[in-house]
Amino acid sequence: MRKTFDEKLNEISGELLEMGSLVQDSVNDAINSLINADIELAQKVIDNDSRIDDYDILIEEKCMYIQAEHQPVARDLRLIHSIYLIVIYVERIGDICVSIAKLTKRLCKEDTKINREVMDILIEMGNVAKLILDKALKAFKNKDAKLASRLEQMDYTIDDLQKTLYHKLYSSHHMDEDYIKFVTNMSLASRYFERIGDNSVNIGERVIYYLTGDFKVIHSDI
């Protein structure tokens, strides 16, 4: 019975990592679609989101089934509960990628040009967001609480870059209707990148909780 239970846990964990890999591809494609004004790549992100949603449903069902069948306790229960919540964070990142892709299509339709300074900041934000997600998934795969605990500090870089972007966007004295629309869209893009980082940090917090049982990690207000 124990072997069967462990095999099921490993299967669900593997499916979570497969889902994570799909989302990593979507993050990369979504960011590249925005940076390169690539409508076809943006549409690819939108079309592939259904595969991510399928994993979401599959893993949720398996988590419920294994919990009802085996009634796990302690670390095993924390793992199942954490997988269920990590799937939610991963799926949210997938949804954010769709939002970035839709933004790309809108900007291309409006023939919006992103100036070099703003583009450089967005590229850096995107690179950091991708790195945090990669580290979060590696922390889960390798059961690495130390790596997971470093994610929040890494996320501060995205926050600092966002502040720099806002400063550049809002320091202009040329505020006609077109520029206001540009500022709104760039602010939205930066917000999407920031949310990828935030959800990746949440993944790391669940990894720490699963491995250590430290409830305060996921409830910092306690």
Side-chain angles (χ1 to χ4, degrees):
M1 180 66 72
R2 179 67 204 183
K3 182 179 180 181
T4 302
F5 177 60
D6 285 339
E7 287 175 348
K8 289 178 180 178
L9 282 179
N10 290 334
E11 180 180 288
I12 296 173
S13 297
E15 288 167 342
L16 170 55
L17 291 171
E18 290 172 6
M19 180 185 183
S21 180
L22 284 178
V23 170
Q24 284 182 294
D25 290 342
S26 287
V27 169
N28 189 62
D29 288 344
I31 291 173
N32 284 336
S33 77
L34 181 66
I35 291 169
N36 299 315
D38 190 331
I39 295 178
E40 291 186 5
L41 192 57
Q43 189 60 48
K44 175 186 173 184
V45 172
I46 295 169
D47 293 341
N48 286 345
D49 189 56
S50 60
R51 296 177 62 198
I52 296 170
D53 292 339
D54 288 343
Y55 269 101
D56 180 18
I57 295 169
L58 173 68
I59 296 171
E60 179 182 357
E61 289 179 346
K62 287 190 175 183
C63 284
M64 293 175 62
Y65 181 80
I66 194 173
Q67 190 167 338
E69 182 181 29
H70 295 277
Q71 298 183 347
V73 296
R75 179 166 165 152
D76 289 335
L77 180 60
R78 293 200 307 271
L79 172 59
I80 295 169
H81 187 55
S82 294
I83 287 175
Y84 171 72
L85 290 173
I86 289 171
V87 164
I88 292 175
Y89 297 134
V90 172
E91 195 272 336
R92 285 178 184 170
I93 294 173
D95 287 343
I96 293 167
C97 292
V98 171
S99 296
I100 294 171
K102 290 180 177 179
L103 176 60
T104 296
K105 294 181 72 174
R106 185 166 71 249
L107 292 173
C108 289
K109 183 178 180 180
E110 296 170 355
D111 197 27
T112 300
K113 306 299 182 185
I114 304 176
N115 65 58
R116 189 70 253 174
E117 284 187 324
V118 171
M119 180 67 78
D120 286 344
I121 296 173
L122 289 177
I123 290 172
E124 192 169 355
M125 288 185 73
N127 286 338
V128 177
K130 288 188 288 185
L131 179 62
I132 298 173
L133 176 59
D134 178 68
K135 298 296 184 185
L137 293 172
K138 282 184 178 178
F140 174 79
K141 180 180 180 180
N142 299 328
K143 301 179 178 62
D144 191 337
K146 288 184 178 179
L147 177 59
S149 67
R150 294 199 294 268
L151 300 181
E152 186 173 10
Q153 189 66 41
M154 295 171 63
D155 191 47
Y156 292 152
T157 303
I158 295 181
D159 296 336
D160 290 340
L161 287 166
Q162 188 177 46
K163 291 175 184 176
T164 301
L165 178 66
Y166 285 166
H167 177 73
K168 289 188 179 296
L169 291 174
Y170 291 98
S171 62
S172 175
H173 299 294
H174 183 65
M175 286 287 184
D176 60 13
E177 184 177 345
D178 288 340
Y179 188 75
I180 291 173
K181 185 185 294 186
F182 173 75
V183 168
T184 301
N185 286 327
M186 293 304 99
S187 298
L188 193 58
S190 73
R191 177 61 176 163
Y192 291 147
F193 291 1
E194 186 217 1
R195 291 302 297 150
I196 292 172
D198 288 346
N199 279 283
S200 299
V201 170
N202 290 339
I203 292 171
E205 289 175 348
R206 296 308 313 192
V207 171
I208 296 171
Y209 169 67
Y210 144 56
L211 292 172
T212 69
D214 185 357
F215 198 65
K216 291 185 179 181
V217 171
I218 52 175
H219 293 282
S220 57
D221 55 331
I222 295 178

